[in-house]
Amino acid sequence: MRHGWQRLRSILVFAVALTAAACSRAPQEPAKPDSGVRVWPQPAPSETAPSPPLVAAARAQIGVTRYYDPAYVQLAYPGGDVANDRGVCTDVVIRALRTQGLDLQQAVHEDMRANFASYPTIWRASATDRNIDHRRVPNLRRWFERQRWTQPVSDSAADYRPGDLVTWELRSGVPHIGIVSDRKSWDRQRPLMLHNIARGTQEDDVLFDYPITGHYRPVLRSGEATAAR
């Protein structure tokens, strides 16, 4: 009987220890909303056709930018950025274009300062804010339009080239942006998109998952890009 009680006690102690271990995990990042994004196995990079520079720059963010974090942050200027392990959808585009010599923070700020009335007023701002203006999709859309980057919005995947920029309106009404990849969906019917919707920078099959609100093709000619410093 004594041995039986000791055995039962040992079992209870072990069970309590397991419960304690399960409840003492290391602190985690705040939970992210389920985006509903369909993630397909990623194909291996082509050994014969290197990716366009803008696409390669966006893909290089995968595994580096791991969190979606919309917090307002005071940024350096020009070339200011949040911590590279986090950001929002616009940061994927901002970081990729900086590798090509275009600093959207400076370009958008300077254009807004000179043409403030041409930009959206949905935030009721009375002046420019170089910490956040370039990180807002509606402002980027207006700047792209003013650069004559606009392309037709189409329901044909063939009309979207690698390196193009696409904007959407998510089901929640929130605007979103991504870069067209040179890789295809599992059925080869659609280009994948490089974006950050809730899980950091990813490459997903989402081109036609949401209503497309804009389609843009960057033109980065010498002398037009504002070099990041």
Side-chain angles (χ1 to χ4, degrees), residues 183-196:
R183 296 176 179 172
K184 298 287 187 179
S185 58
W186 66 274
D187 57 3
R188 312 297 296 173
Q189 298 300 306
R190 298 165 301 282
L192 300 182
M193 297 299 304
L194 290 145
H195 68 144
N196 180 356

Side-chain angles (χ1 to χ4, degrees), residues 138-149:
N139 285 342
L140 287 186
R141 290 189 60 198
R142 185 58 49 83
W143 190 86
F144 297 156
E145 292 164 2
R146 290 173 58 79
Q147 308 312 303
R148 300 182 181 178
W149 289 7

Side-chain angles (χ1 to χ4, degrees), residues 128-175:
T128 58
D129 184 345
R130 61 194 190 188
N131 297 301
I132 194 67
D133 286 336
H134 64 298
R135 302 181 71 206
R136 288 171 164 163
V137 174
N139 285 342
L140 287 186
R141 290 189 60 198
R142 185 58 49 83
W143 190 86
F144 297 156
E145 292 164 2
R146 290 173 58 79
Q147 308 312 303
R148 300 182 181 178
W149 289 7
T150 305
Q151 299 292 311
V153 171
S154 168
D155 59 3
S156 172
D159 292 332
Y160 297 87
R161 299 180 189 174
D164 282 2
L165 308 175
V166 174
T167 60
W168 302 268
E169 183 176 304
L170 303 181
R171 297 183 186 98
S172 59
V174 173

Side-chain angles (χ1 to χ4, degrees), residues 37-71:
V37 170
R38 296 172 294 152
V39 182
W40 306 107
Q42 301 302 316
S46 169
E47 296 180 359
T48 58
S51 298
L54 192 64
V55 174
R59 185 175 294 129
Q61 300 174 36
I62 297 174
V64 177
T65 303
R66 296 174 291 122
Y67 308 114
Y68 182 91
D69 184 351

Side-chain angles (χ1 to χ4, degrees), residues 3-229:
H3 292 298
W5 167 246
Q6 289 178 336
R7 183 178 180 186
L8 178 59
R9 182 183 177 190
S10 297
I11 292 172
L12 290 173
V13 169
F14 181 66
V16 169
L18 283 178
T19 303
C23 295
S24 60
R25 297 175 180 172
Q28 302 292 316
E29 286 288 322
K32 311 298 189 302
D34 182 6
S35 65
V37 170
R38 296 172 294 152
V39 182
W40 306 107
Q42 301 302 316
S46 169
E47 296 180 359
T48 58
S51 298
L54 192 64
V55 174
R59 185 175 294 129
Q61 300 174 36
I62 297 174
V64 177
T65 303
R66 296 174 291 122
Y67 308 114
Y68 182 91
D69 184 351
Y72 179 92
V73 179
Q74 293 280 344
L75 302 178
Y77 179 86
D81 198 1
V82 299
N84 65 2
D85 69 337
R86 63 195 60 235
V88 293
C89 61
T90 51
D91 292 313
V92 178
V93 176
I94 292 163
R95 288 164 175 163
L97 282 171
R98 274 187 175 143
T99 69
Q100 306 310 301
L102 174 61
D103 182 1
L104 282 174
Q105 182 193 29
Q106 184 174 359
V108 171
H109 173 66
E110 291 182 353
D111 195 53
M112 286 188 70
R113 188 171 55 183
N115 305 279
F116 191 75
S118 297
Y119 280 81
T121 59
I122 55 180
W123 301 281
R124 299 182 180 178
S126 58
T128 58
D129 184 345
R130 61 194 190 188
N131 297 301
I132 194 67
D133 286 336
H134 64 298
R135 302 181 71 206
R136 288 171 164 163
V137 174
N139 285 342
L140 287 186
R141 290 189 60 198
R142 185 58 49 83
W143 190 86
F144 297 156
E145 292 164 2
R146 290 173 58 79
Q147 308 312 303
R148 300 182 181 178
W149 289 7
T150 305
Q151 299 292 311
V153 171
S154 168
D155 59 3
S156 172
D159 292 332
Y160 297 87
R161 299 180 189 174
D164 282 2
L165 308 175
V166 174
T167 60
W168 302 268
E169 183 176 304
L170 303 181
R171 297 183 186 98
S172 59
V174 173
H176 187 53
I177 191 170
I179 299 175
V180 178
S181 172
D182 58 343
R183 296 176 179 172
K184 298 287 187 179
S185 58
W186 66 274
D187 57 3
R188 312 297 296 173
Q189 298 300 306
R190 298 165 301 282
L192 300 182
M193 297 299 304
L194 290 145
H195 68 144
N196 180 356
I197 198 170
R199 300 171 293 114
T201 304
Q202 302 288 329
E203 194 165 20
D204 299 316
D205 178 17
V206 296
L207 175 59
F208 297 123
D209 279 13
Y210 314 104
I212 297 175
T213 57
H215 175 201
Y216 310 94
R217 187 160 295 153
V219 179
L220 302 175
R221 290 188 288 267
S222 177
E224 289 189 348
T226 303
R229 299 180 216 165

